[in-house]
Amino acid sequence: MRIAVIGQSLFGQEVYKELRKDGHTIVGVFTIPDKDGKADPLATEAEKDGVPVFKFPRWRLKGQAIQEVVTQYKATGAELNVLPFCSQFIPMEVIDHPRHGSIIYHPSLLPRHRGASAINWTLIHGDKKGGFTVFWADDGLDTGPILLQRECDVEPNDTVNTIYKRFLFPEGVKGTVEAVRLIAEGKAPKITQPAEGATYECIQKKDNAKIDWNQSAEALHNWIRGNDKVPGAWAEVDGQKVTFYGSSLVDNGTAVNGQPLEIPGASQPGIVTKSGLVLFGNDGKTLLVKNLQFEDGKMIAAAQYFRSGSSAAVELTEEEKTFAVQMRAVWQSILSNVSQIEDSTDFFKSGAASMDVVRLVEEVKLRASSCQLQNEDVYMNTTFQDFIQMCVRKLRGEDDEEELVVDYVEKNINNMTIKMPHQLFINGEFVDAEGGKTYKTINPTDGTAICDVSLAQISDVDRAVAAAKEAFEEGEWGKMNPRDRGRLIYRLADLMEEHQEELATIEAIDSGAVYTLALKTHVGMSIQTFRYFAGWCDKIQGSTIPINQARPNRNLTFTKKEPMGVCAIVIPWNYPLMMLAWKTAACLAAGNTVVLKPAQVTPLTALKFAELAARAGLPKGVINILPGSGALVGQRLSDHPDVRKLGFTGSTEIGKHIMKSCAVSNVKKVSLELGGKSPLIIFSDCEMDKAVRMVEEVKKMKIGDPLDRSTDHGPQNHKAHLDKLVEYCQTGVKEGATLVCGGRQVQRPGFFFEPTVFTDVQDHMYIAKEESFGPVMIISKFKSGEVDDVLRRANATEYGLASGVFTRDISKALYVSERLNAGTVFVNTYNKTDVAAPFGGFKQSGFGKDLGQDALNEYLKTKTVTIEY
């Protein structure tokens, strides 16, 4: 058909583009004149295609059509007028002229909410359903026959912007194009609008958007969100007009702490909190407002009300000055009507619109990936100087809105001052445990107390899971572009590298690791792990699958990889930070949120990691750290109905218990890395010096404890483990094995066990079958020709974590590696792990993988979608 598009805006632009794709001829675009030297997007798109564009300031004068304008319109020969969004009054002479008449898009379910502020009133009235109507144009009162309608749910905290972006814009474009298709096919209905349920509301303007405080909290919330962003609900506060944005209903069972703010007419004072401004309805219930705007146009975070204007300007470094020059050029390209961008240039007063905000945010990401802006940041920093100051503060991690309060324990160790958080980390804040409960964490090298650490209780677990759930379902993390998520994880890795000496020192005193080993392996590999998985964020994808049930219709089947949701992670104390990284990095890259329980005896690097994650810009609730006992915290995480995945490293005994709890509670997905009895087969034809050296290196590495379900803490856990090792060795001696050396605790301060070697060990002995979890080497001889027999012996255990073989014979090496029943086989090396190589066991050593692409699948679910068309 020959179509005239009459209207404006990005919505009009998209409708125009889709109509052309559908094969229609656009004979003319009738839009508004340029504003501040900038053409409307619809005009820009049409001019690019060579379509005639008309920019009439008006179609009527004193109630009469302007004939010159009408003549130019009629000359296009349009068969149908499409009005996707039009702010001008179009004469009926134009509406009725085409053969097929005119159709209009209206953002409500007519006959409800006729008028120009339909979306606003949908929200103000608290409608549970919204949607749009494409109707046959009438005399401007939105009463014409209905052609097509589509509806959607209205979410409790929807604003005009969110419902428009989620449904009214994308589905509205599709619906308008579908309506034209129905007209072209001669199938378009004309359904008379019913009289029942019809409403017509006034246009919402600033002067009639004042808040009436004598209403319930829900009614106040609906009024504020219904006027957000335009025209903006306002009230008198401290003698000036203040506009309220970003309203949400809040849980009225939550205690509110903050500074009171008197609001004339309100039932009680508002409270400025860390989260925003809490307001009260006349029913005593509450709502939360995120942002406030003053009469001069300045917008601030509501949480900053009593601190607005108090921040001193930061002095830019040379690198930051270069960034400022780049951004000045970006502003100049957007504000093409402004001759020169000064520090005082105001983005919006210079003609910028909402689409320019989106572009500016994306331009910042391209030039400084670690500066994660939201649209609100631009609205709150409208001059170029304020904008640059805000960006620089974010790049430095000094953003006031995300101020992190940390009660450090400081110690001078290893020629540095280390600063250690010691409280629980929940929803982006370090907080005390319920009842202020604490315990002492011990330095195992000398037995002295390092500091008191908050001891999580069941209520703390519930709070952390709730925060993680909200961050996943409602927060920016769940909606974040995967590439942006990868940038944040990479920024976290950078911060870990900047603090690597401090992290290694904390790891050394908390877990007993040698500092050089902690620096290279515990911390070094952790940094590598986060960088590796940061790169995976935008490469997670499904597949397209041909299916057999294709006739007589055509079908498309594809899969999507989706995050699980809230994931619990429980880790041991042998490699505290590295075990955290192996699981958490993959979990975050997949898009999940995390509640992590470190081993009770080694919580400090996990808490330091939480601090760095917050400073890297990970949103609140994405990471939560809960030091505490396995019997309490670990058990509650296993049982919690809102946890959808649990990753555990620890003993086989506890792994079985966790698996049972996860099944009984809500059939959680589980991955388990459990005990091991890793055989190392050394053939006589190997490079013996290398084999001996590798064995020595393996046994020099500190080996830690799996999750201890005991409620004890402090030195008792360390002493209990040493006692178990002594008993283990005594059992070996009683069964007839030869104790070559060791087998006892070192007599010195701290918790040390002598390197221990057994020979003459028989396969039936306890020490040959059960894990020692200590520096114990068990040597058993075999004849070099008995390859199958030694494989039988090596596999004669319920464990299957790791294994190794040393030989110069490549055929023998491949034969043995193929038949060893273990998740990892090392050939002519040992313990050579890499972030790209999956690691995990078989049999009672567990299932599931850490590291590599396989680890991502542990934190993803696969959805299959089949479409018939």
Side-chain angles (χ1 to χ4, degrees):
M1 278 193 298
R2 294 170 59 83
I3 295 174
V5 177
I6 305 174
Q8 64 210 65
S9 78
L10 287 170
F11 184 81
Q13 179 190 42
E14 289 302 310
V15 169
Y16 161 85
K17 288 163 61 176
E18 293 302 315
L19 289 174
R20 280 175 54 87
K21 284 182 185 177
D22 240 22
H24 300 291
T25 300
I26 309 300
V27 295
V29 163
F30 298 83
T31 188
I32 57 175
D34 295 354
K35 182 180 179 182
D36 296 323
K38 294 177 67 175
D40 183 82
L42 173 57
T44 302
E45 190 72 27
E47 287 169 347
K48 184 178 68 177
D49 295 332
V51 172
V53 176
F54 305 85
K55 302 178 182 180
F56 302 136
R58 62 184 63 85
W59 292 71
R60 301 190 303 181
L61 186 62
K62 296 180 179 180
Q64 299 297 316
I66 301 172
Q67 286 307 310
E68 181 184 352
V69 171
V70 173
T71 300
Q72 289 187 62
Y73 159 75
K74 289 182 176 179
T76 64
E79 298 174 300
L80 174 70
N81 294 332
V82 176
L83 285 71
F85 173 73
C86 183
S87 62
Q88 297 175 313
F89 286 101
I90 310 301
M92 290 304 295
E93 187 176 349
V94 172
I95 293 294
D96 295 335
H97 178 74
R99 178 161 63 95
H100 294 292
S102 302
I103 61 170
I104 301 178
Y105 167 87
H106 184 80
S108 80
L109 297 173
L110 292 174
R112 189 162 173 79
H113 305 310
R114 293 169 177 159
S117 297
I119 311 176
N120 305 78
W121 287 102
T122 298
L123 299 173
I124 291 169
H125 282 284
D127 293 357
K128 304 303 181 185
K129 293 288 184 181
F132 64 86
T133 304
V134 179
F135 70 99
W136 298 94
D138 58 356
D139 57 2
L141 297 177
D142 303 334
T143 56
I146 295 170
L147 192 163
L148 175 149
Q149 284 187 324
R150 297 288 182 269
E151 73 171 32
C152 68
D153 292 330
V154 180
E155 301 296 335
N157 292 323
D158 262 333
T159 63
V160 173
N161 188 47
T162 60
I163 193 172
Y164 185 69
K165 288 173 65 176
R166 185 181 75 248
F167 184 83
L168 297 176
F169 186 109
E171 296 304 317
V173 170
K174 295 176 187 176
T176 304
V177 174
E178 183 182 349
V180 172
R181 193 175 299 136
L182 290 171
I183 294 170
E185 295 171 354
K187 299 177 181 178
K190 291 187 176 182
I191 303 168
T192 302
Q193 291 190 33
E196 184 179 354
T199 63
Y200 188 95
E201 291 96 357
C202 65
I203 297 176
Q204 279 304 95
K205 297 180 180 179
K206 201 69 177 181
D207 58 0
N208 63 4
K210 186 176 181 179
I211 299 171
D212 174 9
W213 293 107
N214 189 27
Q215 301 181 81
S216 67
E218 184 175 1
L220 290 173
H221 164 65
N222 288 337
W223 183 262
I224 293 171
R225 70 183 180 129
N227 286 282
D228 185 344
K229 290 264 192 291
V230 177
W234 61 275
E236 295 282 347
V237 181
D238 285 339
Q240 61 177 322
K241 186 183 289 186
V242 176
T243 305
F244 297 71
Y245 297 109
S247 173
S248 59
L249 292 171
V250 296
D251 180 5
N252 292 283
T254 305
V256 179
N257 298 309
Q259 191 168 350
L261 176 64
E262 291 291 340
I263 301 175
S267 59
Q268 57 182 296
I271 300 177
V272 177
T273 71
K274 291 180 180 179
S275 302
L277 174 60
V278 175
L279 300 170
F280 295 84
N282 61 11
D283 56 356
K285 295 183 179 180
T286 55
L287 59 145
L288 180 74
V289 168
K290 285 287 189 181
N291 300 316
L292 301 172
Q293 188 174 38
F294 301 104
E295 289 180 274
D296 62 1
K298 175 70 173 178
M299 184 181 283
I300 65 165
Q304 305 296 314
Y305 183 84
F306 290 109
R307 291 187 285 165
S308 61
S310 61
S311 298
V314 296
E315 186 174 345
L316 274 57
T317 65
E318 290 303 315
E319 184 178 357
E320 290 163 350
K321 288 177 181 177
T322 301
F323 170 76
V325 169
Q326 294 174 345
M327 294 316 303
R328 196 181 295 272
V330 170
W331 275 51
Q332 189 71 71
S333 66
I334 295 174
L335 305 175
S336 56
N337 56 307
V338 178
S339 59
Q340 186 173 349
I341 303 298
E342 307 287 352
D343 285 351
S344 59
T345 300
D346 188 286
F347 194 64
F348 297 103
K349 290 178 181 178
S350 300
S354 58
M355 60 184 177
D356 298 311
V357 174
V358 175
R359 177 183 167 186
L360 181 58
V361 169
E362 291 303 315
E363 293 281 2
V364 171
K365 288 179 183 177
L366 289 172
R367 289 159 179 78
S369 60
S370 60
C371 186
Q372 299 292 318
L373 296 191
Q374 303 299 319
N375 290 0
E376 286 75 12
D377 293 320
V378 181
Y379 287 110
M380 290 188 283
N381 298 273
T382 60
T383 68
F384 182 74
Q385 183 178 29
D386 288 346
F387 177 80
I388 290 298
Q389 290 280 310
M390 175 270 296
C391 289
V392 169
R393 283 194 171 94
K394 282 185 175 288
L395 287 168
R396 294 181 182 183
E398 299 173 359
D399 184 15
D400 287 340
E401 188 179 349
E402 300 297 327
E403 180 180 356
L404 184 67
V405 178
V406 188
D407 179 25
Y408 292 113
V409 172
E410 297 189 15
K411 290 185 179 291
N412 293 313
I413 303 174
N414 199 21
N415 298 318
M416 71 179 77
T417 300
I418 59 172
K419 301 169 72 175
M420 299 176 290
H422 63 98
Q423 297 166 289
L424 313 181
F425 187 73
I426 299 175
N427 201 26
E429 296 179 313
F430 285 103
V431 295
D432 291 334
E434 180 195 1
K437 293 188 178 181
T438 63
Y439 70 99
K440 294 187 183 300
T441 185
I442 304 299
N443 183 340
T445 64
D446 59 14
T448 61
I450 302 171
C451 64
D452 289 336
V453 176
S454 293
L455 183 67
Q457 304 300 301
I458 288 179
S459 62
D460 300 313
V461 178
D462 292 344
R463 280 196 298 146
V465 172
K469 183 180 180 182
E470 183 178 1
F472 178 76
E473 294 181 353
E474 306 293 339
E476 58 183 296
W477 185 255
K479 303 177 180 69
M480 190 175 291
N481 180 291
R483 189 162 296 175
D484 293 338
R485 189 164 64 240
R487 288 170 178 151
L488 282 181
I489 297 172
Y490 204 94
R491 170 63 177 154
L492 172 57
D494 287 346
L495 279 179
M496 291 173 70
E497 187 170 53
E498 290 175 23
H499 291 262
Q500 60 183 332
E501 289 84 3
E502 184 180 21
L503 284 167
T505 303
I506 296 172
E507 188 93 331
I509 65 170
D510 202 29
S511 72
V514 177
Y515 173 76
T516 51
L517 177 67
L519 184 64
K520 179 183 177 182
T521 304
H522 293 223
V523 179
M525 191 175 190
S526 298
I527 295 167
Q528 293 171 15
T529 302
F530 278 101
R531 285 192 174 137
Y532 172 79
F533 282 107
W536 268 110
C537 289
D538 61 353
K539 300 171 185 68
I540 297 171
Q541 58 192 14
S543 57
T544 304
I545 304 166
I547 61 173
N548 291 327
Q549 306 299 324
R551 294 194 179 105
N553 301 307
R554 290 177 293 173
N555 296 271
L556 171 66
T557 295
F558 61 90
T559 60
K560 297 175 64 181
K561 297 288 186 179
E562 298 181 348
M564 300 294 300
V566 179
C567 296
I569 293 174
V570 180
I571 55 174
W573 57 255
N574 52 339
Y575 294 93
L577 186 63
M578 197 167 78
M579 291 295 98
L580 177 153
W582 281 21
K583 296 186 188 301
T584 304
C587 182
L588 294 177
N592 301 286
T593 55
V594 179
V595 180
L596 181 137
K597 192 201 92 64
Q600 189 172 341
V601 294
T602 54
L604 296 180
T605 44
L607 292 172
K608 187 67 180 180
F609 165 82
E611 177 199 342
L612 299 179
R615 299 199 186 283
L618 270 73
K620 293 180 178 180
V622 173
I623 290 174
N624 304 271
I625 307 293
L626 301 176
S629 73
L632 203 68
V633 178
Q635 186 64 56
R636 179 57 181 155
L637 289 171
S638 300
D639 294 336
H640 204 293
D642 289 332
V643 173
R644 293 297 169 187
K645 161 69 200 281
L646 192 147
F648 171 75
T649 296
S651 71
T652 299
E653 176 192 359
I654 305 306
K656 291 178 179 179
H657 181 84
I658 284 176
M659 194 172 174
K660 180 179 179 181
S661 296
C662 289
V664 170
S665 59
N666 61 344
V667 197
K668 291 176 182 63
K669 186 175 182 179
V670 184
S671 56
L672 305 171
E673 196 235 290
L674 307 176
K677 191 67 180 174
S678 304
L680 175 56
I681 303 171
I682 301 176
F683 288 98
S684 58
D685 65 350
C686 74
E687 189 180 333
M688 194 60 67
D689 289 345
K690 180 182 180 182
V692 172
R693 188 171 66 252
M694 294 299 300
V695 170
E696 288 176 346
E697 288 300 317
V698 169
K699 284 304 171 183
K700 279 180 185 177
M701 297 182 75
K702 190 188 81 63
I703 304 176
D705 196 7
L707 174 69
D708 192 333
R709 291 190 65 224
S710 167
T711 56
D712 293 333
H713 46 78
Q716 293 90 342
N717 271 355
H718 298 296
K719 182 66 169 63
H721 188 63
L722 288 175
D723 291 343
K724 288 178 184 177
L725 276 174
V726 171
E727 183 181 350
Y728 180 90
C729 294
Q730 289 173 347
T731 301
V733 172
K734 288 177 183 177
E735 289 185 328
T738 300
L739 179 62
V740 177
C741 63
R744 62 186 180 182
Q745 181 179 352
V746 177
Q747 299 304 308
R748 54 168 287 185
F751 303 93
F752 293 87
F753 195 82
E754 291 182 347
T756 301
V757 178
F758 279 101
T759 59
D760 303 319
V761 178
Q762 302 300 312
D763 292 352
H764 68 275
M765 293 181 179
Y766 179 82
I767 62 173
K769 295 185 294 182
E770 296 298 327
E771 183 180 30
S772 66
F773 221 77
V776 180
M777 187 187 334
I778 293 166
I779 299 175
S780 181
K781 296 180 181 178
F782 67 94
K783 294 180 180 179
S784 60
E786 299 175 348
V787 176
D788 288 328
D789 185 62
V790 76
L791 281 168
R792 177 190 59 76
R793 294 173 62 193
N795 289 329
T797 172
E798 277 300 302
Y799 297 113
L801 187 58
S803 60
V805 56
F806 279 84
T807 178
R808 284 191 173 96
D809 186 337
I810 187 63
S811 296
K812 188 188 296 180
L814 292 173
Y815 181 85
V816 171
S817 64
E818 186 177 289
R819 285 160 176 77
L820 279 170
N821 198 359
T824 298
V825 181
F826 298 102
V827 178
N828 293 330
T829 186
Y830 207 84
N831 221 37
K832 184 173 283 187
T833 54
D834 186 89
V835 294
F839 183 85
F842 297 163
K843 299 186 286 187
Q844 292 198 44
S845 288
F847 52 84
K849 298 293 182 182
D850 292 324
L851 304 178
Q853 184 177 358
D854 285 30
L856 283 171
N857 294 326
E858 302 298 331
Y859 298 94
L860 292 166
K861 56 189 178 185
T862 302
K863 177 182 288 182
T864 302
V865 180
T866 297
I867 302 170
E868 184 176 282
Y869 63 98

